[in-house]
């Protein structure tokens, strides 16, 4: 099944022989989010020169709910809880995709918020507990410090004050330089953003046109309230279909099927842990392949950014994470014909939603939301030739769609601050890019971060070589154009994936 294109000003053209065009934006060209040029608090300003300013397996459809802010049919009630991820898209008809409201494939990701009295991952503790004093220093000493880290140079805009994420990071995707961060190595529940590591680990193993017939056992063991794309037992799906389910609908059912193809959930968890270690993502402990809340499962804004940067080396990863809508095979009718459902990406900076405009230049990567993790998001965007990665974990703000709005503010700041700040650290290359090649010059102390690991896994042989990506903005959308090369880290050896 091929992704469905919607009218857009920009296009994504994967490299290689296939030249399928994937529209990454929907509707007309949108304006960039407004940059907030306001004061930041607890900012480390160590500029070399003076600065002017310092995420029930049974889903039931109970009928459409109407609300003042959503059209009929835009919401479903899941196991007695209203799902708050409205399915909307700024298409010409300005209507909700009807197929999503018609059956189990429309089951939406749970969108719980942590209670005010509970800290993510550690119920019972006060919500205002501070970050640990002893955090990893992978990528540089300053990244291991608590609080906001930035070095403003002359003419640099100050950080937006309305950013409340417990942990966040803004980095240059090409050079790996970290422009600013806040508790970058704080180990927190990651929610479905951990699916980036799952994809980076498993996606290269199976050809996209491979067909697989799902067994009931492969859909067993998912946690209550899991987000689903609607995979059915005893029916066949292509690997391409399953990855669309993972990226667009954050489908834990699709994750479990792919994990079964990979040898099972325990093996996949082990493989993911090994890949995290290969990437020097030492804050991460993997317990479930789908990011579902599990005791001890943690990551950090720094590590999630490493996963995105590594995954973006793979053109299929880039295609899936930037696809706005797609066709997904549904149930089999009495005539043995499969129905087709339309699914939409839940990344709201990509597709937009009520009150939220798609971000200019956005091309993924992954969002998440669970009870313990709150909202998490990692995104990549380009503007005027500059490509930035941003991760925000668990905003404390009561603002609607806070994780997206805060990510947009940080992206705006990063683009405006280009060339005007001194980096506070770097995204380190994988171990395989530095061992014996002489190409890596990462200044981070990877061994220093190892002490913060619980349950170390053996490193895997690297599949994460160099990154060949063409990133360009065309009418407000980020395009990946086959043929042109944009190295997200020029120090890495170039490998085809």
């Amino acid at each position: 099944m091929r992704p469905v294109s919607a009218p857009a000003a920009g296009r994504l053209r994967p490299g290689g022989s296939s030249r399928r065009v994937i529209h990454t934006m929907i509707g007309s060209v949108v304006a960039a989010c407004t940059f907030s040029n306001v004061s930041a608090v607890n900012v480390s300003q160590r500029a070399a020169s003076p600065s002017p300013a310092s995420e029930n397996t049974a889903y039931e459809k109970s009928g459409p709910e109407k609300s003042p802010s959503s059209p009929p049919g835009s919401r479903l009630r899941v196991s007695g809880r209203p799902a708050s991820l409205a399915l909307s898209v700024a298409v010409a008809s300005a209507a909700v995709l009807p197929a999503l409201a018609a059956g189990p494939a429309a089951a939406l990701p749970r969108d719980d918020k942590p209670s005010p009295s509970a800290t993510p991952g550690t119920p019972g503790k006060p919500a205002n507990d501070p970050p640990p004093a002893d955090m990893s220093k992978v990528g540089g000493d300053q990244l291991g410090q608590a609080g906001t880290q930035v070095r403003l140079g002359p003419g640099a805009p100050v950080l937006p004050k309305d950013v409340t994420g417990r942990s966040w990071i803004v980095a240059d995707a090409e050079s790996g330089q970290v422009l600013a961060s806040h508790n970058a190595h704080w180990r927190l529940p990651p929610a479905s953003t951990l699916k980036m590591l799952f994809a980076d680990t498993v996606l290269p193993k199976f050809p996209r046109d491979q067909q697989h017939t799902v067994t009931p056992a492969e859909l067993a063991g998912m946690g209550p309230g899991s987000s689903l794309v609607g995979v059915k037992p005893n029916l066949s799906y292509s690997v391409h279909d399953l990855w669309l389910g993972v990226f667009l609908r954050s489908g834990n059912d699709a994750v479990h099927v792919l994990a079964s193809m990979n040898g099972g959930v325990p093996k996949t968890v082990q493989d993911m842990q090994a890949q995290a270690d290969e990437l020097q993502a030492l804050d991460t402990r993997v317990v479930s392949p789908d990011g579902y809340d599990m005791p001890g499962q943690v990551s950090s804004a720094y590590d999630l950014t490493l996963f995105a940067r590594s995954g973006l080396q793979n053109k299929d990863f880039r295609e899936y994470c930037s696809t706005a809508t797609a066709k997904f095979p549904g149930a089999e009718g009495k005539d043995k014909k499969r129905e087709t459902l339309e699914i939409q990406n839940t990344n709201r900076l990509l597709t937009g939603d009520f009150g939220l405009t798609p971000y200019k230049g956005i091309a993924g990567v992954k969002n998440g939301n669970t009870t313990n993790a709150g909202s998490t998001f990692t995104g990549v965007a380009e503007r005027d030739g500059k490509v930035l990665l941003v991760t925000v974990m668990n905003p404390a703000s009561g603002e609607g769609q806070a994780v997206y709005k805060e990510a947009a503010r940080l992206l705006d700041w990063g683009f405006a601050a280009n060339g005007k700040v001194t980096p506070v650290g770097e995204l380190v290359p994988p171990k395989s890019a530095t061992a014996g090649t002489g190409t890596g010059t990462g200044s981070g102390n990877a061994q220093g971060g190892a002490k913060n690991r619980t349950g170390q896994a053996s490193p895997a042989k690297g599949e994460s070589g160099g990154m060949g990506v063409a990133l360009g903005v065309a009418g407000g959308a980020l395009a990946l154009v086959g043929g042109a090369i944009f190295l997200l880290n020029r120090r890495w050896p170039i490998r085809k994936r």
Side-chain angles (χ1 to χ4, degrees), residues 85-178:
L85 284 178
L87 300 176
S88 65
V89 60
V91 294
S93 61
V96 175
L97 299 174
L100 287 174
L108 307 183
R110 184 167 157 184
D111 196 22
D112 298 334
K113 298 291 183 184
S115 66
S117 61
T119 296
T122 54
K125 284 189 176 182
N128 60 351
D129 63 318
D134 187 19
M135 291 187 287
S136 169
K137 292 180 172 57
V138 171
D141 290 348
Q142 195 168 349
L143 296 179
Q145 298 178 22
T148 300
Q149 307 300 321
V150 66
R151 297 174 180 176
L152 301 176
V158 295
L159 284 162
K161 67 178 181 181
D162 44 354
V163 175
T164 65
R166 293 163 68 84
S167 176
W168 55 259
I169 192 169
V170 183
D172 186 310
E174 177 184 11
S175 68
Q177 294 176 344
V178 176

Side-chain angles (χ1 to χ4, degrees), residues 430-477:
K431 292 178 181 178
S432 61
T434 59
T437 65
T439 57
T441 58
S443 62
N445 181 3
Q447 298 302 319
K451 63 184 178 181
N452 294 313
R453 159 87 76 212
T454 301
Q456 292 257 11
S458 300
K461 291 183 179 180
E463 295 181 22
S464 302
M467 203 176 289
V469 186
L471 296 176
V473 173

Side-chain angles (χ1 to χ4, degrees), residues 219-240:
L219 297 176
M222 290 183 291
S226 285
S227 54
L228 305 173
V229 67
V231 176
K232 304 293 184 183
N234 306 315
L235 293 179
S236 178
Y237 297 83
S238 69
V239 167
H240 176 64

Side-chain angles (χ1 to χ4, degrees), residues 424-435:
V424 296
E426 71 165 357
L427 301 177
V428 295
K431 292 178 181 178
S432 61
T434 59

Side-chain angles (χ1 to χ4, degrees), residues 323-406:
T323 298
T325 62
K327 296 291 187 182
F328 188 82
E332 194 176 71
K334 293 180 180 180
D335 57 359
K336 300 298 182 180
K337 292 183 179 179
R338 299 282 291 274
E339 62 180 349
T340 299
L341 304 176
E342 191 168 31
I343 58 175
Q344 179 198 346
N345 201 314
T346 58
N347 174 356
R348 300 184 190 184
L349 283 191
L350 180 66
T351 62
D353 201 356
F354 298 107
L356 192 67
T357 303
Y359 187 83
K360 181 180 178 180
I362 196 73
V365 218
K366 192 70 189 75
N367 55 304
N369 196 309
T370 64
T371 302
N372 284 347
S375 296
T376 59
F377 177 71
T378 297
V380 61
E382 187 205 18
R383 190 175 297 170
D384 299 327
K386 176 63 65 175
V387 185
L388 297 181
L389 282 163
V390 64
T391 296
V392 177
M393 302 184 74
N394 193 243
S397 168
E399 180 182 25
Q401 318 297 335
V403 74
Y404 300 106
K405 293 178 180 178
E406 295 190 8

Side-chain angles (χ1 to χ4, degrees), residues 230-271:
V231 176
K232 304 293 184 183
N234 306 315
L235 293 179
S236 178
Y237 297 83
S238 69
V239 167
H240 176 64
D241 293 330
L242 295 171
W243 283 116
L244 286 172
V246 171
F247 278 92
L248 274 68
R249 300 304 306 154
S250 204
N252 289 3
D253 45 359
V255 169
H256 277 249
V257 173
L258 287 162
S260 177
M261 294 173 64
N262 187 55
V265 168
K267 179 183 182 298
T268 300
V269 166
Q270 183 179 23
D271 289 350

